[in-house]
Amino acid sequence: MTRNQLHLALIGSGGDGVVASATMIMQTAARMGLYGIMTQSYGPQIRGGESAAYVSVSTDPIAVVGDHKDLVVCFRFSDVNPFRQEVAMAADVTLLHPKEEQADLPEVLKAKNLRRIPVPFQELLAAEGLPEIAKNVMVFGIILQALGWQKKYGEDCIKDIFSRKSDAVISANLRAFDIGYHHLKEKISLPTLSPKQVVKRELISGNELCARSAVDAGCRFFAGYPITPSSEIMETIYDLLPKVGGKLLQAEDEIAAIGMVLGASFGGVPAMTATSGPGLSLMTEMMGISSMTEIPAVIVDCQRVGPSTGIPSRAEQSDLWHALYAGHGDAPRAVLAPMDVPSCHRTMFQAFHLAETYQLPVLVLSDAIIAQSQQIIDNLETTGLPQGKRQTFQGNGGSPYLRFSLAHTNDPGWNGVSPIALPGTPGTMHTIAGIEHNEMGKISSDAKQHEIMNRKRFRKLDYLAEETASWFHIFGNPTAKHRVVAWGSVASVLERYVTTHKDMALFVPEILSPFPIAALQDFLAGARRSSIVEQNFQGQLYHYLRSLGTIDGKTEKICRSGGLAFSNDELDRLFQEGGA
Amino acid sequence: MNDLNTIQRKPTDYRNEYKPVWCTGCGDYAVLKSFTRAFAKLNIPNERIAVVSGIGCSSRLPGYLDTYGFNTLHGRALPIAQGLKAARPDLTVLACGGDGDCFAIGTGHFPHAIRRNPDITYVVMDNSIYGLTKGQASPTTSRAFKEQKGLIGVEEPPVNPAYFAFSMGAPFVARTHAGNMAELSDLIAQGIQYPGFAFIHCLSVCVTYQGRGFQEEIDRHVHATPANYNPGDERAVFDLLRSDPFAMGVLYKKPLDEAAFDGNRDVPVE
């Protein structure tokens, strides 16, 4: 039996090695030439507590985990309950569970042609004198055999993972793997995946890629304060920056983090920070001074459920309004959004390009799913991505330097940007301030001057919008009757959905502000039905697009709170019901 | 570049043409002048200097200097100065602000700046009042003054800035007042030359909300540190800072390994 996708779930609690085993499967798939995606689901506990990892492997690129599981490894039936909303069984699912598990099969694990395989995890290890810690490697062996994957790939994976450990550790783990790999006596007939090409691909998370692509795009300074689900960006960039002469400061809070970013950027060094909703709230005042002093900054927000602490480990799209509007006063900014792991690469280039070119804050709205998914990806192209540099002042023949020069106001080709003279440049000393100022940077309380400067600052957005008018994707048949708009990780789910719904087309903006309005209007023209699908309670994108005049009351608002990704079944139901 | 090294800059070379917003008699004029004197003393090229401030009367200071400056947000001078210094170690970075900046809204940044110990000189102009918002009590306003003026927060004791800085581990702590420009400019120069985080607490009178008598009051009380005082003796420093709010000069100076600051500073240590 050949299929092109397989979906796995590993469910357990701390110490079961759920995530470690799943990661090994992903690493092996990446070695074999397969594609894959893995997400984690966990509660607020740091250690212990229930934990699940979902893995989908495929012969083709895949960005969303499959809804119906073909193979489930469950370490305790009691661990299943917290995940009952997100695990659905395929009709002929295979379930591995500990032999000693005596409880009744939980409802969620029941399936039409369920194949139950009890495994004596503890006994197997004990018989070989292996410690409990080796369980994840043994489970990895069992799964690999169940999948019918070659043993060699698993062994290579283990050697790789433990390459820095002693030979004794490596051989103990290989033994644990071997026990697992040869444990199942009967053949499990899971569908076989045949890679289209045997090539080793890269396994990376959205956060790791955000960090790496930021450095590739020119980021040389990072300051941040750890927060779930963004911390891996700081952890990754901490390793990368020193290699390119960059610096990192771990700040005492998010206010300091963005402050440090602005200080570095004032010094002429492309800089960024990464956070999640609560941190973004703290950064709000600083976003304003970035707009006001025209100092570039890139801010990544890995959205989680809000408001307040919300659900730290789960994704939601409810920071959109904050990103668009937060802060007092009229403060220009750009807002970008990746839709899956690989698109983080392009987004980070876009972010630094816009921030540096237009001298303003750029927000990148990732989310917990994109941030923490591990995906097997192809090589990423950098050529062709925008890589604008900051326009620095090169001297103008003796007249005084004007930091916020309005000299070209009457030139229709002027994009509102005034060249920056960086500290260290002789003859162009000046002070910038969050207080309103004239073109010299001198403080001004004049109302007309304020209007002039607002026009200058917002003029940049007009030109930016021209450049970004094509920053969107259309999936499916663009002339389909039903046209849908979505962004972020939700767009990924819908991209998958429209491949099997030929009467639908999907519009995904890469930039949320300024929104590619003309493109969306073109996309919606002639639609019989249109829907905005998003994961927040209020329908933030829907109301935003209404306010822009891009959609009218006939477009459906399909939204619900975050915390759980949309499944195809749920989308079926939501589209059937129609939105508000 | 040769002529840059040979020119002897004057204090006035560091002032731009802007007229300060400060009231006549404000102590901050003297602080501004002391900044320029310190720069001239060290003959630092204007373009190598960046002064980062917060918000308040005193935080307007960078705007009157012919150097690079960033007048930021209330309480946030230190994070921005640290980001700048980390990204551009070739610059001479100073931070300045008022008592509200350092000891109210921005207090949280202070101990962490001290821990990181960047080569930044931080001058706090402490007038013990909120001048810009017209005379409310600040964290350094004395109980007596609050009582006399009927200000909110009468029962709360004031912060002891130098002691706070010392207790958090600041390696260079100095105190003076705007009435003594010679000492202030010398301390700023010392702070710039010190290869770490230098904190200078400067009493600077608000003539409008404290009255002109305040400088006289300061003049009556201030005195130099005792003749045998050793600013490297932590026990002596502790005793002095706990007991004497009017001893002026370098109060604490920790010997720092200059090698650790290689490439992170541009002004040679004397």
Side-chain angles (χ1 to χ4, degrees), chain A residues 113-378:
Chain A
N113 303 316
L114 174 73
R115 183 171 37 214
R116 273 180 78 160
I117 304 180
V119 183
F121 293 109
Q122 311 291 0
E123 288 166 38
L124 285 171
L125 287 171
E128 290 287 326
L130 287 165
E132 166 119 32
I133 197 170
K135 184 155 89 176
N136 54 28
V137 176
M138 185 185 68
V139 170
F140 168 56
I142 295 174
I143 295 172
L144 220 65
Q145 186 207 12
L147 293 170
W149 292 2
Q150 283 180 40
K151 194 176 168 192
K152 171 177 96 62
Y153 286 114
E155 288 169 342
D156 287 348
C157 174
I158 287 167
K159 285 177 198 159
D160 211 29
I161 290 173
F162 297 101
S163 62
R164 288 185 187 174
K165 303 280 178 165
S166 67
D167 290 348
V169 170
I170 295 173
S171 71
N173 278 290
L174 285 172
R175 209 141 48 85
F177 172 74
D178 194 65
I179 298 165
Y181 196 84
H182 293 111
H183 170 66
L184 298 179
K185 301 302 173 214
E186 52 173 320
K187 176 100 179 76
I188 298 177
S189 51
L190 278 171
T192 319
L193 300 189
S194 306
K196 292 183 174 168
Q197 192 188 1
V198 179
V199 55
K200 190 176 171 186
R201 293 198 177 86
E202 186 179 22
L203 174 65
I204 196 165
S205 75
N207 277 346
E208 289 163 345
L209 189 54
C210 263
R212 193 176 76 190
S213 300
V215 173
D216 290 347
C219 176
R220 291 295 178 270
F221 181 86
F222 182 97
Y225 185 78
I227 184 170
T228 303
S230 83
S231 306
E232 296 85 4
I233 295 180
M234 181 161 75
E235 289 164 358
T236 307
I237 210 163
Y238 176 75
D239 292 333
L240 299 178
L241 279 176
K243 294 176 188 158
V244 292
K247 290 242 175 84
L248 177 142
L249 290 176
Q250 182 171 324
E252 56 271 24
D253 57 39
E254 285 89 348
I255 299 173
I258 175 94
M260 289 163 175
V261 163
L262 290 177
S265 184
F266 173 60
V269 175
M272 81 159 183
T273 183
T275 187
S276 185
L280 191 67
S281 290
L282 286 180
M283 290 181 185
T284 304
E285 192 186 10
M286 284 282 185
M287 279 157 49
I289 200 170
S290 169
S291 299
M292 188 65 155
T293 56
E294 307 189 41
I295 295 294
V298 172
I299 304 159
V300 179
D301 171 18
C302 300
Q303 296 170 98
R304 63 193 223 185
V305 168
S308 191
T309 304
I311 308 176
S313 57
R314 291 180 178 269
E316 193 167 71
Q317 299 185 303
S318 52
D319 292 356
L320 175 61
W321 284 350
H322 190 105
L324 295 172
Y325 307 124
H328 58 281
D330 295 306
R333 70 198 62 174
V335 183
L336 301 167
M339 62 180 286
D340 54 18
V341 172
S343 64
C344 290
H345 179 63
R346 185 174 159 80
T347 305
M348 293 316 294
F349 272 82
Q350 291 172 331
F352 277 93
H353 166 75
L354 295 181
E356 293 291 321
T357 304
Y358 294 96
Q359 303 179 6
L360 40 68
V362 174
L363 283 106
V364 173
L365 289 183
S366 178
D367 65 43
I369 290 178
I370 297 170
Q372 298 196 325
S373 290
Q374 303 261 356
Q375 191 172 334
I376 299 170
I377 60 169
D378 287 310

Side-chain angles (χ1 to χ4, degrees), chain A residues 400-406 428-433 437-443 449 453, chain B residues 16-18:
Chain A
Y401 170 67
L402 305 174
R403 168 62 189 96
F404 306 104
S405 173
L406 302 166
T428 49
M429 285 73 72
H430 64 278
T431 289
I432 55 169
H437 40 257
N438 64 15
E439 59 183 328
M440 300 164 79
K442 189 173 184 242
I443 291 168
Q449 184 67 39
M453 295 314 279
Chain B
N16 62 21
E17 69 280 18
Y18 299 144

Side-chain angles (χ1 to χ4, degrees), chain A residues 297-537:
Chain A
V298 172
I299 304 159
V300 179
D301 171 18
C302 300
Q303 296 170 98
R304 63 193 223 185
V305 168
S308 191
T309 304
I311 308 176
S313 57
R314 291 180 178 269
E316 193 167 71
Q317 299 185 303
S318 52
D319 292 356
L320 175 61
W321 284 350
H322 190 105
L324 295 172
Y325 307 124
H328 58 281
D330 295 306
R333 70 198 62 174
V335 183
L336 301 167
M339 62 180 286
D340 54 18
V341 172
S343 64
C344 290
H345 179 63
R346 185 174 159 80
T347 305
M348 293 316 294
F349 272 82
Q350 291 172 331
F352 277 93
H353 166 75
L354 295 181
E356 293 291 321
T357 304
Y358 294 96
Q359 303 179 6
L360 40 68
V362 174
L363 283 106
V364 173
L365 289 183
S366 178
D367 65 43
I369 290 178
I370 297 170
Q372 298 196 325
S373 290
Q374 303 261 356
Q375 191 172 334
I376 299 170
I377 60 169
D378 287 310
N379 283 338
L380 294 161
E381 274 300 323
T382 295
T383 46
L385 294 179
Q387 298 189 49
K389 295 281 168 275
R390 203 182 306 190
Q391 198 186 343
T392 50
F393 184 77
Q394 302 300 340
N396 62 352
S399 47
Y401 170 67
L402 305 174
R403 168 62 189 96
F404 306 104
S405 173
L406 302 166
H408 301 290
T409 303
N410 295 326
D411 173 359
W414 184 51
N415 64 4
V417 173
S418 313
I420 286 187
L422 300 177
T425 316
T428 49
M429 285 73 72
H430 64 278
T431 289
I432 55 169
I435 196 163
E436 189 57 288
H437 40 257
N438 64 15
E439 59 183 328
M440 300 164 79
K442 189 173 184 242
I443 291 168
S444 169
S445 310
D446 184 273
K448 276 192 188 142
Q449 184 67 39
H450 173 48
E451 172 69 16
I452 288 167
M453 295 314 279
N454 261 340
R455 282 188 191 163
K456 175 208 191 294
R457 291 188 287 265
F458 277 89
R459 182 174 184 148
K460 296 190 287 187
L461 279 189
D462 293 341
Y463 287 78
L464 187 156
E466 270 181 32
E467 189 186 343
T468 60
S470 60
W471 290 12
F472 62 88
H473 299 285
I474 290 174
F475 298 99
N477 171 13
T479 59
K481 285 183 210 151
H482 188 179
R483 319 246 170 107
V484 180
V485 184
W487 65 286
S489 62
V490 172
S492 256
V493 179
L494 277 147
E495 182 197 353
R496 176 183 68 178
Y497 191 82
V498 300
T499 56
T500 53
H501 293 76
K502 299 297 177 197
D503 58 338
M504 290 177 85
L506 172 67
F507 182 94
V508 181
E510 289 181 331
I511 184 163
L512 296 163
S513 182
F515 200 90
I517 294 174
L520 180 59
Q521 277 165 341
D522 284 351
F523 172 78
L524 293 176
R528 290 266 197 86
R529 184 183 173 193
S530 55
S531 321
I532 313 293
V533 183
E534 56 189 314
Q535 219 171 73
N536 55 64
F537 187 75

